[in-house]
Amino acid sequence: MPISSGTIKFISSLRRKKMRQNYHNFTAEGHRIVAELLAQDAYPVKHIYALENWAAEHGAGLTVPLTVVTPRELGRITQLTTPNQVLALCDIPAIPTDLPGGIAEGWSLYLDGIQSPSNLGALLRIADWFGFQHVIGGPGTADLYNSKTIQASMGSFLRVSYRTGELSEITTAFPELVTFGADLDGEDIFSVNAPTRGVLVIGSEGPGIREEARSQVQRWVTIPRAAERQAESLNAAVAAGILAGQLVNGVR
C-alpha cells in the first residue's frame, strides 16, 4: 500500500517538539540506526518507510509494517537535508525522572542547558565511548528526540540511560560522588588525580553552567590552552570528550 498524504503530513509534523510530545512518536533515519532500533525493545518501532532497494535487501523477515516509498515521498517525510534510504517511526517511552542507584557505581554526565540538539547527540556518543552509563539533561537542554540529536548520537541514545532532572537531586541522593564542573579557571585536567566514579557537569557554550548548578559543583577543571593562543573556548562536546577521557583514563 502506498504512503498516504495524511501519513506524510503526520510524519512531517514530528519535526516539532510539541507534536512529538503529543503523539509520543519520533523518527530515526539511516540503515545503521534503524537496524539497531529493530534489534532492541526500549524504543518500539511502529513502521518502516524505505526505498525499494532497501526493502528488497533488508525487508525479508521484518516483524513491523514496511511501506515502500519513492525518493520523492521519502524527501517529504525526512528530517535530514539529504534523505537516507530508510526511516523508522518509533514510540517515545516515558523518560524516567527518578535516579537509579547505578549512578553511584561509575561516571555520569550532567548537561546543564545544552541547547544544541547536535551537541546533545555528540555528548551522548562521548558518554557511550567512555563508558558513562547515565546522562542527565538539566533545564534548557535540547530534546532527546529531535532528529538532529538522534542522528548525531549515531545510535548511542540506545546504549546510554538518559533522564532529566536537577543536579541538586544527584548531589543530595549521592553525596559520596565528587561533582566536577568545566570552567576556564579550574584545575588543569591533566594534573587531576580523579576518583573512579563521579559526575561531570558540562554547560552551554555561551553562558556556561547556571548558578543553580554551580553551587553543586565541588571541583572545577579546565583544559589548558596553548600559550599565546586566543581561542575563547572549546565546543561543549569537544571539551566534554577531553575531560571525560582524562577523568576515566587518567593516572590515579
Side-chain angles (χ1 to χ4, degrees):
M1 173 180 281
I3 188 171
S4 69
S5 59
T7 299
I8 290 174
K9 183 177 180 181
F10 166 68
I11 296 175
S12 297
S13 75
L14 297 177
R15 293 183 176 92
R16 303 195 299 275
K17 180 179 179 179
K18 179 180 178 180
M19 299 303 288
R20 294 193 296 272
Q21 291 176 330
N22 284 348
Y23 291 100
H24 304 287
N25 290 149
F26 73 101
T27 61
E29 301 181 52
H31 172 68
R32 181 173 178 178
I33 292 179
V34 170
E36 288 194 56
L37 279 163
L38 290 169
Q40 53 79 59
D41 300 317
Y43 296 90
V45 178
K46 295 184 64 175
H47 207 111
I48 299 291
Y49 301 89
L51 297 180
E52 187 174 4
N53 59 346
W54 188 94
E57 185 175 355
H58 305 287
L62 283 180
T63 58
V64 299
L66 168 66
T67 295
V68 176
V69 296
T70 66
R72 182 175 180 274
E73 290 169 334
L74 186 60
R76 294 180 64 187
I77 61 175
T78 184
Q79 296 185 33
L80 303 180
T81 303
T82 303
N84 213 305
Q85 291 187 314
V86 58
L87 178 149
L89 177 65
C90 308
D91 285 335
I92 295 178
I95 296 180
T97 55
D98 59 310
L99 298 173
I103 285 182
E105 299 170 5
W107 281 95
S108 297
L109 185 62
Y110 184 86
L111 308 179
D112 190 64
I114 299 295
Q115 299 176 0
S116 164
S118 296
N119 268 349
L120 173 56
L123 286 157
L124 291 168
R125 286 179 70 184
I126 288 165
D128 187 16
W129 182 269
F130 288 109
F132 284 46
Q133 295 298 317
H134 301 280
V135 177
I136 301 92
T141 294
D143 180 27
L144 175 64
Y145 300 107
N146 184 294
S147 62
K148 293 181 179 178
T149 303
I150 298 298
Q151 294 305 125
S153 80
M154 295 295 288
S156 289
F157 78 100
L158 299 171
R159 297 183 289 273
V160 175
S161 169
Y162 184 85
R163 63 199 62 232
T164 59
E166 292 279 357
L167 182 57
S168 58
E169 297 176 63
I170 302 173
T171 57
T172 299
F174 306 102
E176 70 276 17
L177 294 179
V178 179
T179 304
F180 289 81
D183 190 89
L184 290 174
D185 295 323
E187 304 173 63
D188 181 343
I189 186 61
F190 299 108
S191 64
V192 169
N193 288 321
T196 57
R197 56 183 182 163
V199 181
L200 172 60
V201 183
I202 299 293
S204 62
E205 293 174 32
I209 298 172
R210 297 171 305 126
E211 285 303 318
E212 295 92 329
R214 292 184 71 88
S215 65
Q216 305 297 316
V217 174
Q218 296 165 296
R219 293 181 67 177
W220 296 98
V221 289
T222 191
I223 302 163
R225 180 175 53 191
E228 301 181 3
R229 295 294 180 174
Q230 301 301 315
E232 292 185 3
S233 64
L234 289 170
N235 169 273
V238 171
I242 296 170
L243 295 173
Q246 187 63 21
L247 288 173
V248 171
N249 299 313
V251 177
R252 293 184 173 86

